[in-house]
Amino acid sequence: MNADLKPLSDLNVEFYDQDINTSVLRFKLTYFEKGIDLSSKKINTYIFLVAEDGSKVSDYLAVFNETEGIVSYTIPKDFLKHTGRVRGQVYLYQQDNIIVTREFSFMIKASLVNSFSSETKVEYIKTFDDLETVVKSKVIAIEEAIKGGTDYVSQMIETVKNGEKIITDVSNNAITTVTTKTDTLLQTIADNNVALKKDTYIYTDGNGFSREVSKGETDWYKIADAGNYSITKEEMSINAPPKGDSFNLIVNTSSPSLRDLTAVNSVSGAMSSSGWSGWKQLLRDVDTSHWQKQATTNEDGTSINISGYNLLDVEDIKNFDGYVTSALNAPINITSGYVKRKYRSGYIEIVFAPHSRKQVYRNSYNAAAKVWVGWEKNVNASELAELKGTDTGWQPLKLINGVTASVAPMYRLYSNNNIYSLSFKGTMNAFTNRDTVIAKLPSTVIEKLDRALTFLCLTSVNASTARFNRWIVELNGDVKFTASNYNTDGSSGAWNPLDITLTI
């Protein structure tokens, strides 16, 4: 049995009223199609049976196989007397959580021995209502006979003996005399703790015997003895559950002052629980039938991890958000990582992020075309920044070693698609010495250099001929004038522009 919403289940089982100690119900309690380990879960189990004539019994279930979640219940001898169709439910109780399983039914049939007439065997009264009817009829007959003057002393002694035989199988207390009217007999039954079928609140122990709640008690919170009770709000109105009229009450106690009440509405199955903090509505199967049943995390809240998961399985209709190892059909040779999968009417979106990588890959399945579009790598923030590029803007280039300029020199470092460029602008005055370092670049530029950069720029015209200066940017960031062909000694002319863009 499990907590999924299902209709009334006919067990297709029949017992006879003489199947004493052999009429056994056995259930397997499952959670997501696996047996519940009752030893580790610390679950208490109860059963509630209602006969066709309205008779009820509520009792604990015996554990048959603790690790497989199998429980059993032997139908009490007295309950077997209530022939006809029987409806039942099993309740699971774990701390403050209660689950009501689906309803089931089976049959109790009368055995052939019950067909013998009262002329050949002692007739047994199956219910206390039948007993009441028999006793009433005999009292009326006695009263009418006494009125007529008939001496019934010997017949009254015989009636007492017959009454003792009638209730032997249903009570340890025998009727010792029939001398008063029906009200006196009913009071005698109550004084001997014999419960009538019409009683509205009863305590049931593990052997199926019953006794009343304390006489005159009307406050639910004052029921201190652990066990199962059948109670109506009409009889006990103080501190009753806010909804429903007839209940099966389960009382659990840990000390005389600490107890917990769980009331099951016998009509709708709604449940409430109270620890003196007020009644609150608990969930039933029907309340959760529309809830999402697929686990999205482990019980401790951590992400689900699956090994050997096929990332491109079109038959899998489940959504998934967790981690995989040894994944099949991964986009790269790294097969472990984070997976997010969305499924809708055959269409699938899947994202895979390999462990310890910045990359994220996406794929989708077109149900109409029955084809995967193929893995694509998403652009991450760092890759996007590289694509967008960086730019320092024009920055002043500070001159050193006595170098002067007619136009202040500046530099600029920028990138596009991770390709860096270094630009200079400005005009220097004459250089009288070769190999003159005019400035030093900052560390943010130096770290991008992978080689020395050599280049030529113009200088003044000499003898109607264009002349050039040779420059170099060293790996250490030195910007150096190395030589000029303006003069034979390598010195430059008066006009020395530094206008150029270099690819790093």
Side-chain angles (χ1 to χ4, degrees), residues 53-110:
D53 62 4
S55 300
K56 304 173 184 177
V57 65
S58 179
D59 209 343
Y60 293 91
L61 287 168
V63 177
F64 180 79
N65 188 318
E66 192 174 54
T67 58
E68 291 298 322
I70 300 175
V71 295
S72 65
Y73 182 68
T74 302
I75 300 176
K77 176 181 177 181
D78 291 340
F79 193 82
L80 286 171
K81 297 177 182 180
H82 302 280
T83 57
R85 183 164 297 279
V86 178
R87 294 184 298 109
Q89 278 188 324
V90 171
Y91 305 95
L92 311 183
Y93 184 92
Q94 183 184 38
Q95 295 179 350
D96 291 333
N97 301 313
I98 292 182
I99 294 179
V100 182
T101 65
R102 60 172 171 149
E103 191 173 340
F104 58 87
S105 68
F106 59 90
M107 291 292 295
I108 297 178
K109 289 188 173 182

Short mmCIF file of all heavy atoms in Angstrom, two decimals, residues 53-110:
data_model
loop_
_atom_site.label_atom_id
_atom_site.label_comp_id
_atom_site.label_asym_id
_atom_site.label_seq_id
_atom_site.Cartn_x
_atom_site.Cartn_y
_atom_site.Cartn_z
N ASP A 53 -22.79 -3.49 9.14
CA ASP A 53 -23.85 -3.08 10.07
C ASP A 53 -23.41 -1.87 10.92
O ASP A 53 -24.10 -1.50 11.86
CB ASP A 53 -24.26 -4.24 10.96
CG ASP A 53 -23.09 -4.72 11.83
OD1 ASP A 53 -22.02 -4.08 11.77
OD2 ASP A 53 -23.25 -5.69 12.58
N GLY A 54 -22.27 -1.27 10.62
CA GLY A 54 -21.82 -0.08 11.34
C GLY A 54 -20.85 -0.36 12.46
O GLY A 54 -20.32 0.57 13.06
N SER A 55 -20.60 -1.61 12.81
CA SER A 55 -19.65 -1.94 13.88
C SER A 55 -18.24 -1.54 13.46
O SER A 55 -17.87 -1.64 12.29
CB SER A 55 -19.72 -3.43 14.18
OG SER A 55 -21.01 -3.80 14.60
N LYS A 56 -17.43 -1.13 14.43
CA LYS A 56 -16.08 -0.62 14.14
C LYS A 56 -15.05 -1.29 15.04
O LYS A 56 -15.36 -1.70 16.15
CB LYS A 56 -16.00 0.90 14.35
CG LYS A 56 -17.00 1.70 13.54
CD LYS A 56 -16.95 3.16 13.95
CE LYS A 56 -18.02 3.96 13.23
NZ LYS A 56 -18.03 5.38 13.68
N VAL A 57 -13.82 -1.31 14.54
CA VAL A 57 -12.69 -1.71 15.37
C VAL A 57 -11.48 -0.93 14.90
O VAL A 57 -11.29 -0.72 13.71
CB VAL A 57 -12.43 -3.23 15.29
CG1 VAL A 57 -12.01 -3.65 13.90
CG2 VAL A 57 -11.34 -3.63 16.30
N SER A 58 -10.68 -0.41 15.86
CA SER A 58 -9.45 0.32 15.55
C SER A 58 -8.35 -0.27 16.41
O SER A 58 -8.52 -0.43 17.62
CB SER A 58 -9.64 1.80 15.87
OG SER A 58 -8.45 2.50 15.61
N ASP A 59 -7.23 -0.61 15.79
CA ASP A 59 -6.21 -1.36 16.52
C ASP A 59 -4.84 -1.12 15.90
O ASP A 59 -4.71 -0.56 14.80
CB ASP A 59 -6.55 -2.86 16.45
CG ASP A 59 -6.03 -3.61 17.67
OD1 ASP A 59 -5.15 -3.07 18.36
OD2 ASP A 59 -6.49 -4.73 17.91
N TYR A 60 -3.78 -1.53 16.63
CA TYR A 60 -2.43 -1.48 16.10
C TYR A 60 -2.22 -2.64 15.12
O TYR A 60 -2.80 -3.71 15.27
CB TYR A 60 -1.40 -1.58 17.22
CG TYR A 60 -1.37 -0.42 18.17
CD1 TYR A 60 -2.16 -0.41 19.32
CD2 TYR A 60 -0.57 0.69 17.91
CE1 TYR A 60 -2.14 0.67 20.18
CE2 TYR A 60 -0.55 1.77 18.78
CZ TYR A 60 -1.34 1.74 19.92
OH TYR A 60 -1.31 2.79 20.76
N LEU A 61 -1.33 -2.42 14.14
CA LEU A 61 -0.91 -3.48 13.22
C LEU A 61 0.36 -4.14 13.75
O LEU A 61 1.24 -3.47 14.30
CB LEU A 61 -0.65 -2.91 11.82
CG LEU A 61 -1.91 -2.52 11.03
CD1 LEU A 61 -1.51 -1.71 9.81
CD2 LEU A 61 -2.70 -3.74 10.61
N ALA A 62 0.46 -5.45 13.56
CA ALA A 62 1.67 -6.18 13.94
C ALA A 62 2.66 -6.14 12.78
O ALA A 62 2.29 -6.19 11.62
CB ALA A 62 1.32 -7.63 14.28
N VAL A 63 3.97 -6.00 13.12
CA VAL A 63 5.01 -5.98 12.10
C VAL A 63 5.35 -7.42 11.70
O VAL A 63 5.74 -8.23 12.54
CB VAL A 63 6.27 -5.26 12.60
CG1 VAL A 63 7.37 -5.32 11.55
CG2 VAL A 63 5.93 -3.80 12.93
N PHE A 64 5.19 -7.75 10.42
CA PHE A 64 5.49 -9.09 9.91
C PHE A 64 6.92 -9.15 9.36
O PHE A 64 7.65 -10.10 9.62
CB PHE A 64 4.48 -9.45 8.81
CG PHE A 64 4.70 -10.83 8.22
CD1 PHE A 64 4.28 -11.96 8.90
CD2 PHE A 64 5.34 -10.99 7.00
CE1 PHE A 64 4.48 -13.22 8.38
CE2 PHE A 64 5.55 -12.25 6.49
CZ PHE A 64 5.13 -13.37 7.16
N ASN A 65 7.32 -8.15 8.59
CA ASN A 65 8.69 -8.06 8.07
C ASN A 65 9.11 -6.60 8.17
O ASN A 65 8.66 -5.76 7.41
CB ASN A 65 8.74 -8.55 6.61
CG ASN A 65 10.18 -8.65 6.09
OD1 ASN A 65 11.01 -7.78 6.35
ND2 ASN A 65 10.48 -9.71 5.38
N GLU A 66 9.97 -6.31 9.16
CA GLU A 66 10.29 -4.93 9.48
C GLU A 66 11.03 -4.22 8.36
O GLU A 66 10.75 -3.07 8.03
CB GLU A 66 11.12 -4.91 10.76
CG GLU A 66 11.28 -3.53 11.37
CD GLU A 66 11.98 -3.60 12.72
OE1 GLU A 66 13.08 -4.19 12.76
OE2 GLU A 66 11.43 -3.11 13.71
N THR A 67 12.00 -4.87 7.73
CA THR A 67 12.82 -4.22 6.70
C THR A 67 12.09 -4.05 5.39
O THR A 67 12.37 -3.11 4.64
CB THR A 67 14.12 -5.01 6.47
OG1 THR A 67 13.77 -6.35 6.07
CG2 THR A 67 14.96 -5.06 7.73
N GLU A 68 11.13 -4.93 5.08
CA GLU A 68 10.38 -4.84 3.83
C GLU A 68 9.10 -4.03 3.96
O GLU A 68 8.37 -3.84 3.00
CB GLU A 68 10.03 -6.25 3.33
CG GLU A 68 11.21 -7.07 2.86
CD GLU A 68 11.93 -6.45 1.68
OE1 GLU A 68 11.23 -5.90 0.81
OE2 GLU A 68 13.16 -6.49 1.63
N GLY A 69 8.77 -3.57 5.20
CA GLY A 69 7.58 -2.77 5.40
C GLY A 69 6.29 -3.55 5.35
O GLY A 69 5.27 -3.03 4.94
N ILE A 70 6.32 -4.85 5.77
CA ILE A 70 5.12 -5.69 5.72
C ILE A 70 4.52 -5.78 7.13
O ILE A 70 5.21 -6.10 8.09
CB ILE A 70 5.45 -7.09 5.19
CG1 ILE A 70 6.04 -7.00 3.77
CG2 ILE A 70 4.21 -7.98 5.18
CD1 ILE A 70 6.51 -8.33 3.21
N VAL A 71 3.22 -5.44 7.23
CA VAL A 71 2.50 -5.50 8.49
C VAL A 71 1.30 -6.42 8.33
O VAL A 71 0.84 -6.70 7.21
CB VAL A 71 2.05 -4.10 8.93
CG1 VAL A 71 3.24 -3.22 9.23
CG2 VAL A 71 1.18 -3.45 7.84
N SER A 72 0.76 -6.91 9.46
CA SER A 72 -0.37 -7.83 9.38
C SER A 72 -1.34 -7.56 10.52
O SER A 72 -0.99 -6.91 11.52
CB SER A 72 0.11 -9.28 9.43
OG SER A 72 0.70 -9.56 10.69
N TYR A 73 -2.56 -8.08 10.37
CA TYR A 73 -3.60 -7.89 11.38
C TYR A 73 -4.52 -9.10 11.38
O TYR A 73 -5.02 -9.50 10.32
CB TYR A 73 -4.39 -6.62 11.09
CG TYR A 73 -5.46 -6.35 12.14
CD1 TYR A 73 -5.09 -6.00 13.43
CD2 TYR A 73 -6.81 -6.44 11.82
CE1 TYR A 73 -6.05 -5.75 14.40
CE2 TYR A 73 -7.76 -6.19 12.79
CZ TYR A 73 -7.38 -5.84 14.08
OH TYR A 73 -8.33 -5.59 15.03
N THR A 74 -4.68 -9.71 12.55
CA THR A 74 -5.61 -10.83 12.71
C THR A 74 -6.96 -10.27 13.17
O THR A 74 -7.05 -9.61 14.20
CB THR A 74 -5.07 -11.83 13.74
OG1 THR A 74 -3.79 -12.31 13.31
CG2 THR A 74 -6.03 -13.02 13.86
N ILE A 75 -8.00 -10.52 12.38
CA ILE A 75 -9.32 -9.97 12.68
C ILE A 75 -9.83 -10.58 13.99
O ILE A 75 -9.85 -11.81 14.14
CB ILE A 75 -10.30 -10.25 11.53
CG1 ILE A 75 -9.78 -9.60 10.24
CG2 ILE A 75 -11.69 -9.72 11.86
CD1 ILE A 75 -10.61 -9.92 9.04
N PRO A 76 -10.23 -9.74 14.97
CA PRO A 76 -10.69 -10.26 16.27
C PRO A 76 -11.90 -11.18 16.10
O PRO A 76 -12.72 -11.03 15.19
CB PRO A 76 -11.06 -9.00 17.05
CG PRO A 76 -10.30 -7.90 16.39
CD PRO A 76 -10.22 -8.26 14.96
N LYS A 77 -12.00 -12.11 17.01
CA LYS A 77 -13.08 -13.11 16.99
C LYS A 77 -14.45 -12.43 17.03
O LYS A 77 -15.37 -12.82 16.29
CB LYS A 77 -12.90 -14.05 18.18
CG LYS A 77 -13.99 -15.08 18.37
CD LYS A 77 -13.68 -15.92 19.59
CE LYS A 77 -14.79 -16.94 19.87
NZ LYS A 77 -14.50 -17.75 21.06
N ASP A 78 -14.60 -11.41 17.89
CA ASP A 78 -15.90 -10.75 18.02
C ASP A 78 -16.29 -10.00 16.76
O ASP A 78 -17.47 -9.90 16.40
CB ASP A 78 -15.88 -9.79 19.21
CG ASP A 78 -15.80 -10.54 20.54
OD1 ASP A 78 -16.14 -11.74 20.57
OD2 ASP A 78 -15.37 -9.91 21.52
N PHE A 79 -15.28 -9.42 16.05
CA PHE A 79 -15.59 -8.66 14.84
C PHE A 79 -16.02 -9.57 13.70
O PHE A 79 -16.78 -9.17 12.81
CB PHE A 79 -14.38 -7.81 14.43
CG PHE A 79 -14.71 -6.79 13.39
CD1 PHE A 79 -15.28 -5.57 13.77
CD2 PHE A 79 -14.47 -7.02 12.05
CE1 PHE A 79 -15.59 -4.62 12.83
CE2 PHE A 79 -14.78 -6.07 11.11
CZ PHE A 79 -15.34 -4.87 11.49
N LEU A 80 -15.55 -10.85 13.70
CA LEU A 80 -15.93 -11.79 12.65
C LEU A 80 -17.43 -12.07 12.64
O LEU A 80 -17.97 -12.55 11.65
CB LEU A 80 -15.15 -13.10 12.81
CG LEU A 80 -13.68 -13.08 12.42
CD1 LEU A 80 -13.01 -14.37 12.84
CD2 LEU A 80 -13.53 -12.86 10.93
N LYS A 81 -18.10 -11.78 13.75
CA LYS A 81 -19.53 -12.05 13.82
C LYS A 81 -20.35 -11.06 13.00
O LYS A 81 -21.52 -11.30 12.72
CB LYS A 81 -19.99 -11.98 15.28
CG LYS A 81 -19.34 -13.05 16.16
CD LYS A 81 -19.77 -12.89 17.59
CE LYS A 81 -19.08 -13.94 18.48
NZ LYS A 81 -19.48 -13.81 19.88
N HIS A 82 -19.74 -9.93 12.58
CA HIS A 82 -20.46 -8.92 11.83
C HIS A 82 -20.29 -9.20 10.34
O HIS A 82 -19.38 -8.68 9.68
CB HIS A 82 -19.95 -7.53 12.19
CG HIS A 82 -20.08 -7.25 13.66
ND1 HIS A 82 -21.25 -6.87 14.24
CD2 HIS A 82 -19.16 -7.34 14.68
CE1 HIS A 82 -21.07 -6.72 15.55
NE2 HIS A 82 -19.81 -7.00 15.83
N THR A 83 -21.12 -10.07 9.80
CA THR A 83 -20.97 -10.52 8.41
C THR A 83 -21.36 -9.42 7.44
O THR A 83 -22.08 -8.49 7.77
CB THR A 83 -21.83 -11.77 8.16
OG1 THR A 83 -23.18 -11.45 8.49
CG2 THR A 83 -21.35 -12.93 9.02
N GLY A 84 -20.90 -9.58 6.19
CA GLY A 84 -21.16 -8.61 5.13
C GLY A 84 -19.87 -7.95 4.68
O GLY A 84 -18.76 -8.35 5.07
N ARG A 85 -19.98 -6.91 3.85
CA ARG A 85 -18.78 -6.22 3.34
C ARG A 85 -18.18 -5.32 4.41
O ARG A 85 -18.91 -4.61 5.11
CB ARG A 85 -19.14 -5.39 2.10
CG ARG A 85 -17.92 -4.70 1.46
CD ARG A 85 -18.21 -4.23 0.06
NE ARG A 85 -18.51 -5.35 -0.82
CZ ARG A 85 -17.61 -6.13 -1.40
NH1 ARG A 85 -16.32 -5.90 -1.16
NH2 ARG A 85 -17.96 -7.11 -2.19
N VAL A 86 -16.87 -5.37 4.51
CA VAL A 86 -16.12 -4.57 5.49
C VAL A 86 -15.22 -3.59 4.75
O VAL A 86 -14.52 -3.97 3.82
CB VAL A 86 -15.26 -5.48 6.40
CG1 VAL A 86 -14.45 -4.63 7.38
CG2 VAL A 86 -16.15 -6.47 7.15
N ARG A 87 -15.26 -2.31 5.15
CA ARG A 87 -14.35 -1.30 4.61
C ARG A 87 -13.26 -1.01 5.65
O ARG A 87 -13.52 -1.07 6.85
CB ARG A 87 -15.09 -0.01 4.28
CG ARG A 87 -16.10 -0.16 3.14
CD ARG A 87 -16.75 1.17 2.76
NE ARG A 87 -17.50 1.76 3.86
CZ ARG A 87 -17.16 2.83 4.53
NH1 ARG A 87 -16.03 3.43 4.25
NH2 ARG A 87 -17.91 3.30 5.50
N GLY A 88 -12.07 -0.70 5.13
CA GLY A 88 -10.96 -0.43 6.06
C GLY A 88 -9.96 0.55 5.50
O GLY A 88 -9.92 0.82 4.29
N GLN A 89 -9.15 1.11 6.40
CA GLN A 89 -8.03 1.98 6.03
C GLN A 89 -6.89 1.74 6.99
O GLN A 89 -7.10 1.35 8.15
CB GLN A 89 -8.42 3.46 6.08
CG GLN A 89 -9.14 3.96 4.85
CD GLN A 89 -9.32 5.47 4.87
OE1 GLN A 89 -9.54 6.05 5.92
NE2 GLN A 89 -9.24 6.09 3.71
N VAL A 90 -5.67 1.97 6.51
CA VAL A 90 -4.45 1.86 7.33
C VAL A 90 -3.88 3.26 7.51
O VAL A 90 -3.81 4.05 6.57
CB VAL A 90 -3.42 0.93 6.66
CG1 VAL A 90 -2.08 1.00 7.41
CG2 VAL A 90 -3.94 -0.50 6.65
N TYR A 91 -3.49 3.58 8.77
CA TYR A 91 -2.90 4.88 9.07
C TYR A 91 -1.45 4.70 9.49
O TYR A 91 -1.12 3.79 10.25
CB TYR A 91 -3.67 5.57 10.21
CG TYR A 91 -5.14 5.71 9.95
CD1 TYR A 91 -6.04 4.76 10.43
CD2 TYR A 91 -5.63 6.76 9.20
CE1 TYR A 91 -7.38 4.88 10.18
CE2 TYR A 91 -6.99 6.89 8.94
CZ TYR A 91 -7.87 5.93 9.43
OH TYR A 91 -9.18 6.05 9.19
N LEU A 92 -0.56 5.59 8.98
CA LEU A 92 0.86 5.59 9.36
C LEU A 92 1.11 6.83 10.21
O LEU A 92 0.76 7.94 9.82
CB LEU A 92 1.76 5.62 8.12
CG LEU A 92 1.44 4.59 7.01
CD1 LEU A 92 2.44 4.71 5.90
CD2 LEU A 92 1.42 3.19 7.59
N TYR A 93 1.74 6.63 11.37
CA TYR A 93 2.00 7.74 12.29
C TYR A 93 3.48 7.81 12.58
O TYR A 93 4.08 6.86 13.04
CB TYR A 93 1.21 7.53 13.59
CG TYR A 93 1.34 8.67 14.57
CD1 TYR A 93 0.42 9.72 14.56
CD2 TYR A 93 2.39 8.71 15.49
CE1 TYR A 93 0.53 10.76 15.46
CE2 TYR A 93 2.49 9.75 16.37
CZ TYR A 93 1.56 10.77 16.36
OH TYR A 93 1.68 11.81 17.25
N GLN A 94 4.10 8.97 12.26
CA GLN A 94 5.52 9.20 12.53
C GLN A 94 5.69 10.59 13.10
O GLN A 94 5.53 11.58 12.40
CB GLN A 94 6.35 9.05 11.23
CG GLN A 94 7.85 9.20 11.48
CD GLN A 94 8.63 9.17 10.19
OE1 GLN A 94 8.19 9.71 9.20
NE2 GLN A 94 9.80 8.54 10.20
N GLN A 95 5.99 10.65 14.39
CA GLN A 95 6.06 11.93 15.10
C GLN A 95 4.76 12.69 14.91
O GLN A 95 3.71 12.26 15.31
CB GLN A 95 7.28 12.72 14.62
CG GLN A 95 8.60 12.01 14.97
CD GLN A 95 9.81 12.77 14.48
OE1 GLN A 95 9.72 13.73 13.73
NE2 GLN A 95 10.98 12.33 14.90
N ASP A 96 4.79 13.88 14.26
CA ASP A 96 3.57 14.66 14.06
C ASP A 96 2.96 14.45 12.68
O ASP A 96 2.04 15.16 12.29
CB ASP A 96 3.88 16.16 14.24
CG ASP A 96 4.19 16.47 15.69
OD1 ASP A 96 3.70 15.75 16.57
OD2 ASP A 96 4.93 17.44 15.94
N ASN A 97 3.49 13.48 11.93
CA ASN A 97 3.00 13.28 10.57
C ASN A 97 2.14 12.03 10.48
O ASN A 97 2.50 10.98 11.01
CB ASN A 97 4.18 13.14 9.58
CG ASN A 97 5.06 14.37 9.61
OD1 ASN A 97 4.55 15.48 9.56
ND2 ASN A 97 6.37 14.18 9.68
N ILE A 98 0.98 12.15 9.82
CA ILE A 98 0.06 11.03 9.66
C ILE A 98 -0.32 10.93 8.19
O ILE A 98 -0.61 11.93 7.54
CB ILE A 98 -1.20 11.20 10.51
CG1 ILE A 98 -0.82 11.10 12.00
CG2 ILE A 98 -2.24 10.14 10.17
CD1 ILE A 98 -1.99 11.20 12.92
N ILE A 99 -0.29 9.71 7.68
CA ILE A 99 -0.73 9.46 6.30
C ILE A 99 -1.85 8.43 6.35
O ILE A 99 -1.74 7.40 7.01
CB ILE A 99 0.43 8.95 5.42
CG1 ILE A 99 1.49 10.05 5.26
CG2 ILE A 99 -0.10 8.52 4.05
CD1 ILE A 99 2.67 9.61 4.44
N VAL A 100 -2.95 8.70 5.65
CA VAL A 100 -4.06 7.76 5.52
C VAL A 100 -3.94 7.09 4.15
O VAL A 100 -3.91 7.76 3.12
CB VAL A 100 -5.41 8.49 5.61
CG1 VAL A 100 -6.56 7.47 5.53
CG2 VAL A 100 -5.50 9.28 6.90
N THR A 101 -3.83 5.75 4.14
CA THR A 101 -3.69 5.06 2.86
C THR A 101 -5.05 4.94 2.20
O THR A 101 -6.08 5.28 2.77
CB THR A 101 -3.10 3.67 3.06
OG1 THR A 101 -4.01 2.87 3.80
CG2 THR A 101 -1.77 3.75 3.81
N ARG A 102 -5.08 4.43 0.97
CA ARG A 102 -6.34 4.31 0.26
C ARG A 102 -7.25 3.30 0.97
O ARG A 102 -6.80 2.43 1.69
CB ARG A 102 -6.09 3.86 -1.18
CG ARG A 102 -5.38 2.50 -1.28
CD ARG A 102 -5.34 2.06 -2.71
NE ARG A 102 -4.49 0.88 -2.86
CZ ARG A 102 -4.69 -0.04 -3.75
NH1 ARG A 102 -5.72 0.03 -4.55
NH2 ARG A 102 -3.87 -1.07 -3.85
N GLU A 103 -8.55 3.41 0.74
CA GLU A 103 -9.55 2.56 1.37
C GLU A 103 -9.62 1.22 0.64
O GLU A 103 -9.46 1.15 -0.58
CB GLU A 103 -10.90 3.27 1.32
CG GLU A 103 -11.97 2.61 2.17
CD GLU A 103 -13.23 3.46 2.21
OE1 GLU A 103 -13.13 4.66 1.93
OE2 GLU A 103 -14.29 2.92 2.51
N PHE A 104 -9.85 0.13 1.40
CA PHE A 104 -9.98 -1.19 0.81
C PHE A 104 -11.21 -1.90 1.40
O PHE A 104 -11.84 -1.41 2.34
CB PHE A 104 -8.72 -2.03 1.07
CG PHE A 104 -8.40 -2.20 2.54
CD1 PHE A 104 -8.95 -3.24 3.28
CD2 PHE A 104 -7.53 -1.30 3.16
CE1 PHE A 104 -8.65 -3.38 4.61
CE2 PHE A 104 -7.24 -1.44 4.50
CZ PHE A 104 -7.81 -2.49 5.23
N SER A 105 -11.58 -3.04 0.84
CA SER A 105 -12.74 -3.76 1.35
C SER A 105 -12.56 -5.26 1.18
O SER A 105 -11.76 -5.71 0.35
CB SER A 105 -14.01 -3.30 0.61
OG SER A 105 -13.98 -3.72 -0.73
N PHE A 106 -13.29 -6.04 1.98
CA PHE A 106 -13.32 -7.49 1.86
C PHE A 106 -14.64 -7.99 2.45
O PHE A 106 -15.45 -7.20 2.94
CB PHE A 106 -12.11 -8.12 2.57
CG PHE A 106 -12.03 -7.80 4.03
CD1 PHE A 106 -12.64 -8.62 4.99
CD2 PHE A 106 -11.32 -6.68 4.46
CE1 PHE A 106 -12.55 -8.31 6.32
CE2 PHE A 106 -11.25 -6.38 5.80
CZ PHE A 106 -11.86 -7.19 6.74
N MET A 107 -14.90 -9.30 2.39
CA MET A 107 -16.17 -9.86 2.83
C MET A 107 -15.98 -10.78 4.04
O MET A 107 -14.96 -11.47 4.16
CB MET A 107 -16.81 -10.69 1.70
CG MET A 107 -17.29 -9.86 0.53
SD MET A 107 -18.72 -8.83 0.95
CE MET A 107 -19.93 -10.10 1.30
N ILE A 108 -16.97 -10.77 4.93
CA ILE A 108 -17.08 -11.77 6.01
C ILE A 108 -18.41 -12.48 5.79
O ILE A 108 -19.47 -11.85 5.77
CB ILE A 108 -17.04 -11.13 7.39
CG1 ILE A 108 -15.69 -10.43 7.63
CG2 ILE A 108 -17.27 -12.19 8.47
CD1 ILE A 108 -15.59 -9.73 8.96
N LYS A 109 -18.35 -13.79 5.59
CA LYS A 109 -19.56 -14.58 5.33
C LYS A 109 -19.91 -15.46 6.52
O LYS A 109 -19.03 -15.87 7.30
CB LYS A 109 -19.37 -15.44 4.08
CG LYS A 109 -19.35 -14.63 2.78
CD LYS A 109 -19.34 -15.55 1.57
CE LYS A 109 -19.48 -14.77 0.29
NZ LYS A 109 -19.52 -15.65 -0.90
N ALA A 110 -21.17 -15.76 6.64
CA ALA A 110 -21.63 -16.66 7.70
C ALA A 110 -21.33 -18.11 7.32
O ALA A 110 -21.56 -18.53 6.18
CB ALA A 110 -23.13 -16.49 7.93
#
